[in-house]
Amino acid sequence: MRFALAVGTFLILVIHGVILYNQFSHKWEAHQIAYFNQAKAMAKGEAERASLEARGPRIEQTVVADFGETRVDRCITCHIASDDPRFSTYQQPLKTHPYSLAMGDVQKNGRWERRHKFSEFGCTVCHDGQGRGLSPKDAHGEDEYWPDPILGAAVQENWRKEFVPMLRGKEYLEANCAQCHTGAHFTGTPTVRKGMDLFYASNCYGCHRIEGLSDGTIGPDLTEVGRKFKIDYLYTRIKDPKSVLATSIMPKFNMLSDQDIKALVIFLKSRKGKNFSETEMDRYRLRATGGAELVQAHIKPVQINPAQMAKQGEQLVLDRACTACHKLGAKDGAIAPDLSFEGLVKDPAWLDSHFRNPRITMPDSIMPAFRFTDDEFKAMTSYLSGLKAVPAMPTPEATYKALCLRCHGEKGDGRGLIAEHLDPSPRDFTKAAFMNSKPMGRLVASISKGVDGTSMPAWGKLVDEKQATALLGYIQTAFVKEPRQEPKARNLPAANPVASSPESIARGEATFVNRCAGCHGRKGDGKGPNSLDILPKPRNLRNGLFMASVNDTRLFDSILYGVQGTAMPSWIDYGMSNNDVGDLVNFLRNLNPKPKGGQNAGTI
Amino acid sequence: MAVSRRRMLAWITGTGLVGSGVLSAVSNFVFIKPRATYGQPQRFSIGKPDDFPAGTRIALEARRICVVREGNKLAALSTTCTHLGCIVGLADTGFACPCHGSRFDSDGTVTGGPAPRALPWYKITLAPNGEIEVDKDTEITPGSYLTL
C-alpha cells in the first residue's frame, strides 16, 4: 500500500513535470531564439542590438481581415525571418520569403519591396494551411481532415502517393492568386485560365453550376468547391468519377490529359464562393444575369462555312465532348444513346430542337441544353443527319446486339449499359406477362416507329417489318422464354365515351387522387410515394409526347386491363366502369397541352 | 546509515506530493496569462519611412496611433484618450477628444478636459526589411524620437 502510494505520487510528479517542460520547450521558441541570436550578430548598431535584446520568444500573429472571413495567421511565429532580407540563404523556417517580379515585388534603390505585404495579406491567403497551428503538422494543414494543405514547393504527406508527382504544390498557388486576380488576361494565373477554358470546352458548364460562370443543374454546384474538397480528391473525381462515387453519372472525359485535369483542379480550387476582388455590385449583376452572358463570352463560337457544314459539325461534335456521354463509332461515353446511325433514326428538325432544349423532344432527358450558336447547331445537325451507315445485321441476334443491347441489356432485362440514365427505363423483355399481353402489331410498331417521349427510337429505316418480326421472335426465345400467344381481344371502346367537360375532368381528378396518385403521384409525374419500390417505374403521365402518341383506346386498355408484368393493376377488378375511365382519360388529356412536335411528328 | 524501507517510501511520497503542489502553483502563474491573444497584434509595421515625408502628422485610425515625422525624427503617439478610451482627433493645437472635450498638445501632454494622463508614446524601430515597426506593448518617454 505504501509502495503503491509512493510510486503513484512520484508518477504524478513526473507527468506534471513533463507537461510543464513541454510548455516551455516549443520548437517555435527555439526558432525564434536562433533568429534573435543570428540577428544580434548581424546587427549594425547598438540600438538595433538593444531592441533585439528586449525581444523574447512569443507567439506572433497577424489578423487578416480583408480576405473573406477574418483569419489569424501565426506562421510568423516560426517563420520569423520571412521578411528579413538578410536570411535569404538560411534554411527553413528561418528563410526569407523569396522576392520575385512575378509576384509584383519591385526593386527600389537596390532594395526589394513587397507587393503583397505580410501585414496585410498574412500567409494563408496565398499558401493555405492552418494559420493558427503552431506545430508543423497542424500549421501546414497536414492533418487528415484539413481541406487546404499548405501550397508551396512541398509535397504533402497526406496526398495520395500515386498523385504526388502531379501535385507539386507551387503551381497550385495560382488557385489562390485567382481569388483576387480574376481578370481574363492576368498573366500570373495561366493554369487557372486554362482550367476555366477547359471547363467550358469540355462542357462541364452544362451540368455544373458555378455562380457567375455557369448554371447547369444536373451535377453538384461547384461555386464553393475549392473550399470543400482536397486537391487529390478533385483530381481523382475528374480522372475517374466512379472510383470515388460509384453512383456518379459524371462521364469519364478520356480526351483530357493529366495536365488538363491538373488545370481543371487548379481552376476548381480557386472557386471558394467569393472572389475577394468582387464588389457587392459585381455580385448583384452576376446574380441578375445568372451567368448566361459569361458562358456565351467564354465559348468561342466557331465560324461555320456553309460548304463545309457537315465537316465542321463533325469537328464540333468531337471537340465538344459529345462522346463523353454518347457512343459514336468506337468512342463510347456509356451514358447516352448511340449516335452512329443518327441520320436514319432521327430527322434534322428533331435533332435541331433536341440540341436547343433536349427536354422538348425527350421530357425526362438528362442532357443539358448547351449554349452553342445557331450555326453550330445547324452544323452538328447536318453532320449527325448524314450518319446513315446501316450496320451489318445478318441475323436477328446481330440486330439485337447492334441496336437494342445498349439499352435493353445482354439478358434482355432492360438493364443495358445506359439504362440507368434513361427515363422511362427500357422495357424488360423477361417479363413474359407483358410481352404476351401485347398484340404483335403493337410490338412491331414500337420497333419501327419508336415510342414517343422515350429514348426508344424509330428503327424503321434500319429494320423492315420482316426483320422486326424476326427480331421479336429472337427476343421471345432468348429472353421471354415462353411461347408466343396472341392475347385475346379485349372489350374496349373505340373512343372515349365521355365528352370532355370541366365536370368530367373534376370527376377524373377525384378518381386519380384516390386511385392513381399513390404510384403516379399527385401531379401525375410518376413520382408517387409508392414509385420508389416499383420497377418499372410508374409512367410519367405528364410526358406530353408519350401521352399524345397513345390513343384513348390504349389508355382504356392499360387502365381497365392493367399492364401485365408491371405494378399497374387491372382496374376492372376494382369496379371501375367505362365512364370512370372516361373521366380519368379526360383528366389526363387535360394535364398535357398539345405537344410541339414528337419523334413521329416529322418525316418518319 | 541504513534507511528503512518505510522511511524511504515516506520520502518518495512526500517529494511527489510537495513537488506536484509546487509545480501546480508554478503552472498557475505561468498559464494564468494566455500566450496568444486574439485581435490585432500589438507590434506591427506601418510601412517605409518614405511613406511619411518630413512634417507628416498622420493618424492611423485602425491602429489607433498618430505617426509624427519631423526632419529625420520619427515618433508614434497613441490616439486613445486616457480618459475613457475614445479616439482623439488631430487638432491645430494637438489632439482633441470629440466626446468629452479632453485636449492635448502636439506632444500628448494634457492641456484641458477630464483626461488624467498624457497620451503615451510607443516604441518604434526600423525592421531589417526597412519598414517602421511600432510596438504598442512598450511605452517610451515622451519626446524620444527614432532618428533615421
Side-chain angles (χ1 to χ4, degrees):
Chain A
M1 186 64 205
R2 277 168 203 274
F3 181 71
L5 191 68
V7 171
T9 49
F10 197 73
L11 265 180
I12 290 173
L13 176 68
V14 170
I15 292 167
H16 218 134
V18 168
I19 291 172
L20 201 64
Y21 176 79
N22 275 342
Q23 291 303 315
F24 280 106
S25 62
H26 292 293
K27 263 222 172 99
W28 56 264
E29 282 177 82
H31 296 318
Q32 290 199 8
I33 290 166
Y35 168 71
F36 293 143
N37 291 339
Q38 294 293 332
K40 257 184 269 177
M42 291 179 191
K44 282 198 203 97
E46 202 47 52
E48 196 184 332
R49 197 166 297 127
S51 89
L52 282 164
E53 208 77 64
R55 280 177 69 174
R58 66 171 198 182
I59 295 170
E60 301 280 344
Q61 71 183 15
T62 316
V63 180
V64 185
D66 293 340
F67 301 96
E69 285 160 23
T70 301
R71 47 175 98 205
V72 176
D73 270 15
R74 295 183 179 146
C75 315
I76 304 293
T77 306
C78 287
H79 300 274
I80 188 156
S82 52
D83 214 8
D84 187 339
R86 297 172 301 183
F87 283 72
S88 58
T89 55
Y90 278 63
Q91 289 294 308
Q92 284 295 12
L94 293 186
K95 186 172 162 36
T96 315
H97 190 285
Y99 294 88
S100 84
L101 287 168
M103 275 182 343
D105 299 336
V106 285
Q107 232 171 350
K108 266 189 197 165
N109 311 327
R111 288 184 94 155
W112 281 99
E113 241 176 71
R114 291 195 192 283
R115 163 73 185 81
H116 299 95
K117 292 195 171 63
F118 299 150
S119 52
E120 261 173 77
F121 293 87
C123 306
T124 54
V125 168
C126 302
H127 284 279
D128 285 339
Q130 262 194 82
R132 285 163 193 250
L134 286 170
S135 76
K137 199 172 154 61
D138 288 345
H140 295 177
E142 279 167 26
D143 100 60
E144 196 185 338
Y145 300 104
W146 192 255
D148 304 312
I150 189 173
L151 298 175
V155 172
Q156 298 307 310
E157 254 176 39
N158 58 336
W159 282 351
R160 285 161 210 232
K161 289 286 170 282
E162 68 269 32
F163 288 118
V164 162
M166 287 168 241
L167 294 174
R168 294 260 160 207
K170 216 160 197 169
E171 285 159 284
Y172 289 89
L173 271 173
E174 275 186 32
N176 286 338
C177 303
Q179 288 187 81
C180 298
H181 302 282
T182 47
H185 304 294
F186 183 65
T187 49
T189 56
T191 326
V192 172
R193 189 70 213 158
K194 183 182 171 196
M196 193 191 262
D197 289 342
L198 281 166
F199 181 78
Y200 290 105
S202 319
N203 288 341
C204 309
Y205 74 92
C207 294
H208 293 286
R209 176 176 180 271
I210 291 182
E211 196 177 297
L213 292 183
S214 66
D215 53 4
T217 51
I218 294 163
D221 188 328
L222 300 181
T223 306
E224 295 187 19
V225 67
R227 225 167 50 183
K228 291 177 184 161
F229 298 109
K230 293 185 186 182
I231 286 167
D232 50 354
Y233 175 85
L234 292 174
Y235 200 100
T236 329
R237 198 76 169 72
I238 299 173
K239 180 128 181 132
D240 185 7
K242 279 202 171 24
S243 76
V244 182
L245 186 67
T247 54
S248 170
I249 61 162
M250 173 159 156
K252 200 169 163 178
F253 290 88
N254 291 320
M255 76 285 187
L256 292 178
S257 70
D258 284 348
Q259 283 305 311
D260 291 342
I261 298 179
K262 187 170 177 176
L264 272 169
V265 169
I266 296 174
F267 163 65
L268 289 179
K269 213 49 199 164
S270 73
R271 300 285 123 191
K272 296 191 175 176
K274 261 187 188 179
N275 276 324
F276 301 141
S277 62
E278 272 174 6
T279 63
E280 280 305 322
M281 202 57 209
D282 293 338
R283 264 171 231 139
Y284 171 76
R285 266 191 221 110
L286 286 175
R287 269 200 301 278
T289 60
E293 291 160 15
L294 275 148
V295 176
Q296 293 291 15
H298 280 284
I299 304 169
K300 291 173 200 81
V302 174
Q303 281 300 318
I304 303 295
N305 177 350
Q308 297 177 320
M309 213 154 201
K311 190 90 200 112
Q312 279 183 307
E314 176 175 14
Q315 200 54 46
L316 284 171
V317 167
L318 295 178
D319 285 352
R320 299 239 160 113
C322 301
T323 53
C325 292
H326 288 280
K327 182 177 191 309
L328 185 57
K331 289 184 177 160
D332 188 356
I335 286 179
D338 192 346
L339 302 179
S340 308
F341 17 80
E342 197 68 356
L344 293 169
V345 176
K346 298 284 172 8
D347 62 280
W350 188 94
L351 282 171
D352 194 63
S353 63
H354 189 61
F355 276 136
R356 282 161 209 276
N357 184 357
R359 289 187 169 225
I360 285 181
T361 46
M362 197 83 79
D364 292 309
S365 170
I366 59 166
M367 173 159 155
F370 295 111
R371 294 177 211 271
F372 303 143
T373 63
D374 280 359
D375 282 352
E376 288 170 345
F377 282 140
K378 274 184 203 148
M380 286 158 78
T381 303
S382 134
Y383 165 64
L384 287 179
S385 40
L387 296 173
K388 293 190 174 175
V390 183
M393 302 179 292
T395 59
E397 188 180 354
T399 312
Y400 183 84
K401 286 207 168 121
L403 306 182
C404 321
L405 185 76
R406 217 156 170 274
C407 302
H408 291 281
E410 220 163 298
K411 295 178 190 157
D413 56 1
R415 295 191 189 174
L417 185 65
I418 66 166
E420 60 171 312
H421 307 298
L422 303 179
D423 188 10
S425 338
R427 184 64 67 187
D428 178 354
F429 298 138
T430 60
K431 294 256 164 68
F434 176 84
M435 296 303 286
N436 279 339
S437 70
K438 300 296 165 217
M440 199 60 177
R442 187 179 140 191
L443 297 177
V444 171
S446 290
I447 294 177
S448 52
K449 289 187 181 153
V451 182
D452 266 0
T454 78
S455 296
M456 177 73 182
W459 295 116
K461 289 192 182 164
L462 284 99
V463 288
D464 56 25
E465 200 166 312
K466 226 175 88 192
Q467 282 171 301
T469 316
L471 179 61
L472 281 166
Y474 167 74
I475 289 171
Q476 194 79 23
T477 44
F479 309 125
V480 183
K481 290 180 180 158
E482 267 182 36
R484 171 87 194 157
Q485 306 155 339
E486 271 310 299
K488 280 181 227 143
R490 287 165 172 175
N491 179 20
L492 293 166
N496 189 353
V498 186
S500 185
S501 66
E503 296 78 36
S504 163
I505 291 169
R507 284 195 304 271
E509 182 170 11
T511 315
F512 186 85
V513 170
N514 284 336
R515 304 290 185 98
C516 318
C519 296
H520 290 283
R522 182 70 182 77
K523 288 191 256 173
D525 56 3
K527 291 179 181 154
N530 302 339
S531 68
L532 298 173
D533 305 325
I534 299 172
L535 262 180
K537 283 187 272 177
R539 187 69 75 178
N540 173 5
L541 301 172
R542 303 193 81 111
N543 183 334
L545 295 175
F546 174 79
M547 291 305 282
S549 75
V550 292
N551 57 22
D552 289 351
T553 311
R554 175 146 165 214
L555 288 177
F556 268 78
D557 184 8
S558 299
I559 298 171
L560 284 174
Y561 293 93
V563 182
Q564 283 66 41
T566 75
M568 177 76 177
S570 162
W571 287 97
I572 279 189
D573 302 347
Y574 295 93
M576 231 186 239
S577 69
N578 270 8
N579 280 344
D580 295 337
V581 179
D583 291 336
L584 259 181
V585 168
N586 285 335
F587 167 67
L588 292 177
R589 293 283 183 220
N590 186 51
L591 272 185
N592 295 289
K594 273 236 169 290
K596 291 190 188 85
Q599 181 168 283
N600 294 333
T603 49
I604 293 174
Chain B
M1 194 181 78
V3 180
S4 74
R5 177 185 147 89
R6 176 175 289 197
R7 202 163 171 74
M8 182 75 180
L9 289 177
W11 266 107
I12 293 173
T13 312
T15 316
L17 284 176
V18 172
S20 290
V22 170
L23 285 183
S24 302
V26 172
S27 313
N28 278 345
F29 279 108
V30 171
F31 299 132
I32 202 160
K33 195 180 159 205
R35 301 205 74 163
T37 51
Y38 293 87
Q40 289 292 346
Q42 294 295 294
R43 189 172 64 227
F44 46 83
S45 61
I46 54 171
K48 305 257 172 194
D50 302 349
D51 300 342
F52 305 94
T56 306
R57 245 168 79 83
I58 184 168
L60 305 178
E61 283 272 324
R63 303 290 197 184
R64 289 201 172 197
I65 54 165
C66 169
V67 183
V68 179
R69 177 158 177 184
E70 287 167 10
N72 59 352
K73 293 193 299 178
L74 258 171
L77 277 75
S78 164
T79 54
T80 306
C81 184
T82 50
H83 171 224
L84 286 175
C86 307
I87 304 177
V88 296
L90 293 181
D92 292 342
T93 54
F95 303 92
C97 170
C99 321
H100 310 105
S102 294
R103 308 211 142 254
F104 306 87
D105 71 7
S106 53
D107 285 343
T109 320
V110 184
T111 54
R117 276 179 291 112
L119 294 175
W121 288 46
Y122 295 131
K123 183 179 172 182
I124 55 175
T125 46
L126 210 54
N129 60 0
E131 295 196 355
I132 308 162
E133 209 171 62
V134 179
D135 184 2
K136 281 177 78 176
D137 280 340
T138 318
E139 289 180 19
I140 53 170
T141 342
S144 40
Y145 289 87
L146 170 78
T147 312
L148 296 171

